[in-house]
Amino acid sequence: MTLFVALACVPVVLIGAALAIVPWVVPPTECFTITIPRSAVHAPSVVRYRRGYAAVMLVVTLACVVGGAVSLLVAGASSLPAVILTGPFVPILASVALMLALRRRVRALKLDRGWSARQDVRMASVVEDAPQPLPSWTNLLYLPAILGLAAFGAINYGRFPDMLPMHAGLDGIVDSWEPKSPHAVFFPVVLAAVTAAVMACSSMIIVRSRRPVDPAAPSVSAYAYGAFARAESVTLLVCGLALTLFEGMGFYLALLGVISLCDAGALTVVLAVAIVVAQVAIAIYYGQGGSRLARRMGAELGMTAAPDMPSDAEDARWKGGILYWNPDDPSVFVPKRFGVGWTVNLARPAGALLIALLIVVMLTSLALAWSGQG
């Protein structure tokens, strides 16, 4: 019981902590998705907003952890689905709500202090030796993992029991069974293929994303972004391969009696935790878009950023600070303004189509998982 409480709560802690440090991993001139001048980065109001956001996020995360642990200890296995589904999403929703509230405050502060200008400076990356993300062909490595999982299931099909255990409670007792059939045995392979497809699409986003360049330090910022993108692509591939292979393999080993079904579930949670830890490590070391690495490189080179006045145009392109809409930007993928990673330009038809496809893939994955346990 204690192990499952820990496994259910650890992802919430990691997600909450990762969200709490977002104001310090994004570029310092992007304060809650509003562009501010470098001279205002350490303004008392800006510092207070960032610290207040972090404090509230930590309180929300702690409340989720305590509430989830109490629910599991009191109600037992019956509360596990609610804890797993709501635990990680409450900090995410709280982060979005806080960001929107503080975005309004920063926008008002920007107008009050006159931190506005009409110029819209754009630069292209000209650093030829900047690190590059892994090429798209590396996604072909998912094929051996999927085929290997399918082969393992086919070879051991006759050794699997006639009634397959599909779900177990926190006490380790199986409470859901299903007759052996190709659908029941090979649904982990289908889920692995869906996982690989999502990971491959994410890798493609990194490769094809617009590469932002800081006009005040074009060479340093281009190099830092390249290093960030490469670290993200390598981590994505390694974690994706592990999740694709071992999530289904755990289920097969449970069918063979090598491990319990609870152990197989714990393995999936451990893999998910490892992915979150890797993302947090990248965020802390590189920063969103390589912003933290760029600042360290600039400091080592003795570079001093020139005074700047941020453009209002870029703020207007981010709807609510989350959705990017710019018909004049040919890029389909762009770095996020709040958080770590990339998002799509919804003004481009390909961007809107990709979002629709991802929704379909996620719903399909959930449907397959539900049918596999029903």
Side-chain angles (χ1 to χ4, degrees), residues 70-119:
V70 171
S71 297
L72 290 172
L73 292 174
V74 173
S78 61
S79 65
L80 183 60
V83 171
I84 293 177
L85 290 175
T86 61
F89 287 105
V90 171
I92 294 174
L93 294 176
S95 174
V96 173
L98 283 171
M99 184 275 290
L100 293 175
L102 291 170
R103 171 184 166 85
R104 289 192 293 269
R105 294 192 179 188
V106 175
R107 181 192 289 117
L109 181 66
K110 180 178 178 178
L111 294 174
D112 181 65
R113 301 290 177 85
W115 296 339
S116 300
R118 296 300 175 187
Q119 69 268 24

Side-chain angles (χ1 to χ4, degrees), residues 48-352:
R48 185 171 65 254
Y49 292 157
R50 286 173 171 150
R51 291 177 177 174
Y53 166 87
V56 172
M57 284 305 306
L58 292 176
V59 170
V60 170
T61 301
L62 179 61
C64 290
V65 171
V66 173
V70 171
S71 297
L72 290 172
L73 292 174
V74 173
S78 61
S79 65
L80 183 60
V83 171
I84 293 177
L85 290 175
T86 61
F89 287 105
V90 171
I92 294 174
L93 294 176
S95 174
V96 173
L98 283 171
M99 184 275 290
L100 293 175
L102 291 170
R103 171 184 166 85
R104 289 192 293 269
R105 294 192 179 188
V106 175
R107 181 192 289 117
L109 181 66
K110 180 178 178 178
L111 294 174
D112 181 65
R113 301 290 177 85
W115 296 339
S116 300
R118 296 300 175 187
Q119 69 268 24
D120 188 15
V121 180
R122 289 181 178 273
M123 293 187 66
S125 175
V126 295
V127 181
E128 296 181 355
D129 60 343
Q132 300 294 323
L134 294 178
S136 298
W137 66 262
T138 56
N139 291 314
L140 295 175
L141 294 174
Y142 286 109
L143 290 178
I146 297 172
L147 294 176
L149 185 63
F152 187 88
I155 292 172
N156 292 280
Y157 190 91
R159 299 177 58 194
F160 295 149
D162 293 332
M163 294 296 294
L164 305 182
M166 304 304 293
H167 183 269
L170 293 179
D171 53 6
I173 298 177
V174 178
D175 53 19
S176 178
W177 302 81
E178 183 171 334
K180 182 169 66 174
S181 66
H183 169 265
V185 169
F186 292 105
F187 90 89
V189 179
V190 178
L191 288 179
V194 172
T195 299
V198 172
M199 294 297 187
C201 288
S202 300
S203 175
M204 182 185 68
I205 289 175
I206 298 176
V207 173
R208 297 183 178 275
S209 173
R210 186 184 73 198
R211 302 185 179 188
V213 177
D214 184 354
S219 298
V220 168
S221 61
Y223 185 92
Y225 175 83
F228 164 77
R230 184 169 185 84
E232 281 281 10
S233 66
V234 171
T235 302
L236 186 68
L237 180 63
V238 173
C239 293
L241 287 172
L243 192 61
T244 299
L245 180 60
F246 293 113
E247 184 179 21
M249 188 61 69
F251 176 70
Y252 286 153
L253 292 177
L255 296 184
L256 293 173
V258 177
I259 61 176
S260 69
L261 201 60
C262 288
D263 292 335
L267 176 62
T268 301
V269 175
V270 169
L271 289 174
V273 168
I275 293 174
V276 175
V277 170
Q279 288 299 312
V280 172
I282 290 175
I284 293 175
Y285 183 79
Y286 293 97
Q288 166 63 345
S291 58
R292 291 174 64 86
L293 177 60
R295 292 201 297 274
R296 292 196 301 271
M297 293 176 64
E300 292 175 358
L301 296 174
M303 299 175 60
T304 302
D308 66 335
M309 288 297 288
S311 169
D312 294 330
E314 190 66 14
D315 292 345
R317 296 178 183 124
W318 288 89
K319 311 304 179 183
I322 301 174
L323 304 178
Y324 182 69
W325 182 276
N326 184 8
D328 298 326
D329 188 347
S331 302
V332 176
F333 310 112
V334 296
K336 291 180 179 179
R337 267 209 154 185
F338 192 77
V340 177
W342 292 262
T343 187
V344 299
N345 182 1
L346 292 174
R348 310 300 301 177

